[in-house]
Amino acid sequence: MARKDILGLYDLEAGEIEALLSDGLQYKALLKRGERQWSELCGKSVVTLFYENSTRTRCSFELAAVRLGAHVVNLSMATSSVQKGETLVDTGKTLDAMKCDVMVIRHPTGGAPRLLAGTVKAHVINAGDGMNEHPSQALLDMLTMKEHLGRIAGLKVAILGDIRHSRVARSNLYGLKKLGARVSMFAPRTLMPDGLDRMGAEICTSREACVEGADVVMGLRIQLERQKAGYFPSLGEYAKYYGIDENVMQYAKPGALILHPGPVNRGIELTAGLIDGPQSHIEDQVLSGVAVRMAMLKMLCQEERI
Ligand code: CP
């Protein structure tokens, strides 16, 4: 049966992830060649609802929809009736009544996209919900890995940073394990939630062990906006004892990819030299984001619902 919504990589079958990566890789190659316009979503309308700030995800979903020929509307939270107390469900029903085809939602509460999806006829895509999932980010990360390393199965992917608050870490863990990669993780104990080992992650007690032999090293942003408690003494100490620097990278495979979902706290999660260095694919991840979001929109809009 065709999929109505994309709410997380926990839900997707390995074959669906492979299909999105394959389609996204084709779009990325065409975008790099200078192509800009397609017609797969001609006549469709896409609304973006961002209840949290975003640069990359919102712009790339909107560009992806425009590139495929859709009409795109952004619901500005600052000026919408959300400010008058309208609920998420009522907002969704209102957009449904306008015959919107796809709603792309980012929300600070985990589960909000699933609530919306259960209420509206439109397709719903999760653009990041609280500390739960960020499926399009993990897909673009995997697309970048597949483009540069040729495969996902058998890779070792090291993820370091604020794992407790990271929807990116969770979505990557689900997706990478489904496609046969190893995932190692390292964070200060206070930023490492329980239970990720039961989901297939190798939890490490040092940066070096986490990065040892890795094909990909992914830094995660310290999410100061979600940290109510003091999880570490200072940013300077975080950078010194937990950050990814040139010494730590020596434990990875030569030429290992350095990834980061952005926005980066320069000099905290990664040194400036690594961010701007030859192993960094952080800017390239952004183009992967447009390409894989094109593939996601196309998958939902083109398949017939039974
Ligand atoms: N990676 C990511 O989600 O970035 P934005 O918050 O800028 O969308």
Side-chain angles (χ1 to χ4, degrees):
M1 195 163 93
R3 186 167 288 284
K4 174 181 171 287
D5 311 297
I6 299 178
L7 303 177
L9 296 197
Y10 181 85
D11 299 332
L12 291 194
E13 306 286 342
E16 292 175 294
I17 297 173
E18 294 276 20
L20 287 168
L21 296 184
S22 170
D23 212 22
L25 280 169
Q26 288 185 42
Y27 279 129
K28 188 170 177 188
L30 295 170
L31 285 165
K32 279 184 172 173
R33 269 187 10 202
E35 294 194 31
R36 295 288 180 266
Q37 198 60 56
W38 290 262
S39 60
E40 282 88 340
L41 263 67
C42 196
K44 302 284 186 188
S45 50
V46 175
V47 179
T48 53
L49 304 90
F50 277 64
Y51 291 78
E52 271 188 353
N53 295 341
S54 169
T55 298
R56 292 151 200 77
T57 312
R58 183 185 142 190
C59 285
S60 58
F61 263 119
E62 291 178 2
L63 265 179
V66 167
R67 299 252 180 269
L68 292 174
H71 301 285
V72 180
V73 175
N74 170 251
L75 183 65
S76 161
M77 290 307 151
T79 55
S80 77
S81 289
V82 170
Q83 297 300 330
K84 301 176 194 167
E86 187 165 62
T87 66
L88 174 61
V89 167
D90 283 340
T91 300
K93 283 180 174 170
T94 303
L95 296 173
D96 233 13
M98 295 179 198
K99 307 301 178 198
C100 151
D101 296 292
V102 183
M103 299 181 199
V104 178
I105 177 172
R106 171 171 287 189
H107 201 282
T109 305
R114 198 172 292 279
L115 174 68
L116 181 68
T119 312
V120 299
K121 292 192 185 71
H123 301 288
V124 174
I125 299 179
N126 178 5
D129 61 331
M131 299 190 288
N132 182 35
E133 280 226 45
H134 193 346
S136 63
Q137 178 67 47
L139 287 167
L140 78 85
D141 294 336
M142 285 191 276
L143 188 147
T144 308
M145 294 174 209
K146 189 153 184 178
E147 181 185 15
H148 293 284
L149 301 172
R151 66 197 164 93
I152 300 291
L155 295 181
K156 177 177 175 179
V157 180
I159 304 180
L160 301 91
D162 183 355
I163 292 171
R164 175 177 296 281
H165 299 99
S166 181
R167 52 201 180 203
V168 176
R170 251 167 288 280
S171 286
N172 264 296
L173 180 57
Y174 293 136
L176 287 165
K177 293 303 292 181
K178 282 182 186 182
L179 297 200
R182 285 176 61 197
V183 180
S184 60
M185 292 185 167
F186 174 73
R189 187 66 194 91
T190 49
L191 289 178
M192 180 65 77
D194 292 331
L196 291 182
D197 52 344
R198 291 194 294 277
M199 291 155 59
E202 299 165 28
I203 307 301
C204 301
T205 52
S206 72
R207 291 179 285 191
E208 292 77 10
C210 185
V211 166
E212 178 81 51
D215 301 277
V216 179
V217 178
M218 184 186 298
L220 296 177
R221 187 171 67 86
I222 297 299
Q223 299 193 33
L224 294 168
E225 74 277 20
R226 294 192 212 277
Q227 296 189 10
K228 296 191 174 56
Y231 289 97
F232 48 85
S234 70
L235 286 175
E237 280 158 307
Y238 180 89
K240 185 169 177 192
Y241 296 109
Y242 301 102
I244 304 166
D245 59 21
E246 284 74 358
N247 289 333
V248 172
M249 280 306 296
Q250 287 185 3
Y251 288 83
K253 280 194 184 154
L257 308 186
I258 295 176
L259 304 184
H260 190 295
V264 184
N265 296 307
R266 276 184 173 263
I268 308 298
E269 298 106 29
L270 286 163
T271 61
L274 290 179
I275 292 168
D276 299 322
Q279 286 175 256
S280 171
H281 290 264
I282 296 171
E283 274 185 32
D284 185 45
Q285 284 174 269
V286 178
L287 184 60
S288 299
V290 177
V292 90
R293 287 166 178 133
M294 290 171 71
M296 294 169 79
L297 288 164
K298 183 177 135 189
M299 175 188 265
L300 291 184
C301 288
Q302 284 210 325
E303 291 187 5
E304 289 293 323
R305 281 195 239 163
I306 298 168

